[in-house]
Amino acid sequence: EVQLVESGGVVVQPGGSLRLSCAASGFSFDDYTMHWVRQAPGKGLEWVSLITWDGGSKRYADSVKGRFTISRDNSKNSLHLQMNSLRPEDTALYSCAKDKYRNDKVKTFPDYWGQGTLFNVSS
Amino acid sequence: SYELTQPPSVSVSPGQAARITCSGDAFPSKFAYWYQQKSGQAPVLVIYEDTKRPSGIPERFSGSNSGTMATLTLSGAQVEDEADYYCYSIDSSGKGVFGGGTKLTVL
């Protein structure tokens, strides 16, 4: 059974930093592109970032580019999101999601999602 | 930046067809994907690559992509289909984009 468990959500001051993690199990983690998606309270889904299975390609939404860094450790089946220069508008539920296809760099889309971790950027 | 536009809400009676649209300049050359999110739950993929239905998704869910519009159709909506629905696509630089979401009410 695919399991994705996010962690790292706390309260952070504006301008601060935070690292989110996602522990994956139940599938061959090192064969799949992974995504981070966020949802502000009462708002819609916003795609944040993706990283290919080998870490060779990374993409970021314009709203986080230059502030967030996605990474993965295939030896530990874990995905990370380092977030710097945090703003109040970054407050959201952050979820990691697995891609549908193995080793595909073209047709990348979230297939299975974790329940997410919530954090608040507030002074 | 690339944008996908959805109506904020759609309302139908049980058993009626419900159609949720998603407008995007890159359609139909880019695939459309659809997610269902019920209150307090993680999103679930209901349509991928315009028309494909994942295993376990009822046959009443179908998708199309023509012109600059992708459409999710529920033929015979059920009360349990009440949820927020989001379209998704990939822009020319390989970044993901979600539509603003559509609240489907079945009553």
Side-chain angles (χ1 to χ4, degrees), chain A residues 39 59-60 62 101 108 110, chain B residues 33 35 37 49 90 93 95-96:
Chain A
Q39 188 168 29
R59 299 282 186 268
Y60 299 94
D62 292 345
Y101 296 119
T108 62
Chain B
Y33 306 83
Y35 297 88
Q37 186 180 35
E49 293 169 14
I90 303 167
S93 60
K95 296 182 290 188

Side-chain angles (χ1 to χ4, degrees), chain B residues 39 47 51 72 89-90:
Chain B
S39 182
I47 293 290
T51 60
L72 172 70
S89 192
I90 303 167

Side-chain angles (χ1 to χ4, degrees), chain A residues 35 37 39 43-47 50 59-60 62 100-101 106-111 113-115, chain B residues 1 31 33 35 37 40 42-43 45 48-49 52 86 88 90 93-100:
Chain A
H35 303 254
V37 179
Q39 188 168 29
K43 302 296 184 183
L45 301 174
E46 181 184 11
W47 180 86
L50 71 79
R59 299 282 186 268
Y60 299 94
D62 292 345
K100 180 167 180 63
Y101 296 119
V106 177
K107 290 185 290 188
T108 62
F109 59 97
D111 176 23
W113 306 57
Q115 291 299 314
Chain B
S1 60
F31 282 129
Y33 306 83
Y35 297 88
Q37 186 180 35
L45 181 70
Y48 65 102
E49 293 169 14
K52 298 177 181 177
Y86 296 89
Y88 171 90
I90 303 167
S93 60
K95 296 182 290 188
V97 181
F98 283 101

Side-chain angles (χ1 to χ4, degrees), chain B residues 44-67:
Chain B
V44 172
L45 181 70
V46 295
I47 293 290
Y48 65 102
E49 293 169 14
D50 296 339
T51 60
K52 298 177 181 177
R53 198 173 53 248
S55 61
I57 300 302
E59 290 185 8
R60 62 180 179 273
F61 286 84
S62 64
S64 64
N65 189 351
S66 177

